[in-house]
């Protein structure tokens, strides 16, 4: 049985994440107190009809929520393969989401109605849970569709099939992705944006990729990055990491970063790694 615990910061997209898991075949339950999780998991494990389970548990559970670590330990002792998915977003984005939805933060009363203090308090309280999570997804700059794609990419295949490497492109003008394990800045390369015939195209177009890679410094940088990435991945696998996010950033996230993300993904696929691509800012205007 595949057992996933979904947790994270309030307003970071847990509801959207669990909807995706339900769509891909997980039996999902929202807002379960951690103390009930081990017995529920054992019951599901004895049911041949249930092969995938996702449980959402978070700060809404009050003091009970902080028993999550003990519950996870019990799951491991019982031989249940459990993964923790932690969702987060930047303070600014969370603040904006709460102001737009007018929803009440679970810690708002304890923070005397100050939503900023409530967000800061939750970030601090969940620090150790975040550190021990198997997957961390930062939804700050993701659209609902991109978030769904990212969650689905994590769980459509079993972790035992090998590490999932996500090759991401982004624009520094929109902020660096918080979930990235490796970030490479390719703004040092010639920018297709300044060519009228390429300005409105992206690195998904062959003409842009050919232009970016027509310069010796681009080829040299790519070769060195490929060597570094191929050296690092086996060490991450040995460490037990099941997901690696490699992010390439340029100014707007449309040309150079997309080119390098696509080329890196193709390179890793040729070496039989499990790879997906995510172009965070390619459609931004």
């Amino acid at each position: 049985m595949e057992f996933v615990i979904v947790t994270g910061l309030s307003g970071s997209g847990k509801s959207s994440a669990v909807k995706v898991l339900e769509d891909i075949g997980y039996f999902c339950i929202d807002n379960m107190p951690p103390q009930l999780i081990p017995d529920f998991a054992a019951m599901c494990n004895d049911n041949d009809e249930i092969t995938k389970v996702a449980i959402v548990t978070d700060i809404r559970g009050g003091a009970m929520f902080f028993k999550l670590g003990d519950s996870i330990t019990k799951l491991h002792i019982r031989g249940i393969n459990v993964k923790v998915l932690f969702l987060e977003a930047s303070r600014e984005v969370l603040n904006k989401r709460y102001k737009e939805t007018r929803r009440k933060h679970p810690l708002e009363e304890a923070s005397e109605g100050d939503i900023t203090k409530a967000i800061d308090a939750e970030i601090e309280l969940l620090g150790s849970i975040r550190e021990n999570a198997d997957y961390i997804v930062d939804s700050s700059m993701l659209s609902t569709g991109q978030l769904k794609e990212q969650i689905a990419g994590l769980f459509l295949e079993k972790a035992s099939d090998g590490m999932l490497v996500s090759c991401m492109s982004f624009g520094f003008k929109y902020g660096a992705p918080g979930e990235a394990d490796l970030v490479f800045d390719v703004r040092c390369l010639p920018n297709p944006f300044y060519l009228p015939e390429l300005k409105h195209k992206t690195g998904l177009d062959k003409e842009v990729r050919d232009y970016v890679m027509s310069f010796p410094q681009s080829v040299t940088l790519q070769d060195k990055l490929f060597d570094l990435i191929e050296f690092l991945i086996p060490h991450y696998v040995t460490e037990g990491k099941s997901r690696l996010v490699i992010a390439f950033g340029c100014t707007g996230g449309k040309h150079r970063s997309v080119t390098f993300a696509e080329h890196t993904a193709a390179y890793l696929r040729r070496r039989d790694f499990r790879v997906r691509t995510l172009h965070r800012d390619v459609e931004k205007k």
Side-chain angles (χ1 to χ4, degrees):
M1 182 180 67
E2 296 178 41
F3 199 91
V4 179
I5 294 177
V6 181
T7 189
L9 302 178
S10 303
S12 61
K14 298 188 296 295
S15 296
S16 296
V18 79
K19 286 179 182 177
V20 177
L21 292 171
E22 189 171 26
D23 288 343
I24 62 177
Y26 281 79
F27 179 78
C28 301
I29 294 183
D30 189 14
N31 201 16
M32 177 178 284
Q35 293 93 326
L36 300 181
I37 292 177
D39 289 339
F40 178 76
M43 181 175 65
C44 292
N45 206 29
D46 292 336
N47 189 329
D48 293 336
E49 295 181 358
I50 299 177
T51 59
K52 297 181 178 181
V53 178
I55 300 296
V56 180
T57 185
D58 52 37
I59 199 72
R60 289 174 294 171
M64 293 187 294
F65 174 63
F66 298 100
K67 299 292 185 180
L68 180 58
D70 295 337
S71 297
I72 292 173
T73 299
K74 290 179 181 179
L75 291 173
H76 287 307
I77 291 174
R78 295 181 183 184
I80 295 174
N81 180 28
V82 58
K83 298 292 184 183
V84 177
L85 168 63
F86 188 96
L87 281 93
E88 64 181 4
S90 69
R91 289 174 170 84
E92 294 76 16
V93 168
L94 291 173
N95 209 316
K96 181 180 178 182
R97 288 175 182 173
Y98 269 98
K99 287 181 178 178
E100 289 176 346
T101 62
R102 299 185 182 275
R103 292 183 60 199
K104 183 179 179 181
H105 192 284
L107 299 180
E108 193 167 337
E109 288 187 8
S111 301
E112 300 177 340
D114 189 324
I115 186 64
T116 301
K117 288 183 179 179
I119 292 170
D120 288 342
E122 186 176 23
I123 290 173
E124 183 175 353
L125 287 170
L126 271 59
S128 60
I129 295 174
R130 181 190 187 279
E131 288 178 6
N132 293 300
D134 297 282
Y135 308 103
I136 299 173
V137 173
D138 186 336
S139 68
S140 300
M141 301 298 294
L142 299 179
S143 65
T144 301
Q146 289 174 327
L147 177 60
K148 289 181 178 179
E149 180 185 358
Q150 192 156 341
I151 299 298
L154 291 175
F155 296 104
L156 273 174
E157 299 181 64
K158 296 180 181 178
S160 59
D161 292 337
M163 173 184 282
L164 173 65
V165 182
S166 296
C167 293
M168 173 189 288
S169 68
F170 71 94
F172 276 102
K173 66 187 293 184
Y174 302 111
E179 70 268 39
D181 299 291
L182 299 171
V183 178
F184 298 109
D185 184 350
V186 295
R187 289 176 293 183
C188 57
L189 304 175
N191 192 352
F193 177 83
Y194 296 108
L195 296 181
E197 66 272 24
L198 299 179
K199 180 177 181 178
H200 299 294
K201 294 181 182 294
T202 74
L204 297 175
D205 297 302
K206 184 177 184 299
E207 304 95 308
V208 172
R209 295 196 301 273
D210 289 346
Y211 174 81
V212 171
M213 300 310 301
S214 66
F215 298 92
Q217 60 266 41
S218 299
V219 176
T220 300
L221 177 59
Q222 177 176 267
D223 290 343
K224 291 181 180 296
L225 288 179
F226 285 178
D227 285 343
L228 176 62
I229 291 168
E230 191 165 10
F231 168 77
L232 289 173
I233 287 180
H235 294 285
Y236 284 122
V237 172
T238 300
E239 185 189 356
K241 195 173 182 64
S242 56
R243 174 176 175 265
L244 181 71
V245 180
I246 306 173
F248 300 90
C250 61
T251 304
K254 296 179 183 297
H255 299 101
R256 295 164 291 181
S257 60
V258 176
T259 296
F260 268 73
E262 286 289 320
H263 280 205
T264 303
Y267 172 80
L268 292 174
R269 287 190 185 102
R270 291 195 297 271
R271 280 151 180 75
D272 296 324
F273 288 103
R274 193 159 59 98
V275 185
R276 63 186 292 268
T277 56
L278 174 64
H279 302 301
R280 194 191 71 181
D281 302 324
V282 73
E283 295 182 358
K284 287 187 170 65
K285 296 183 179 179

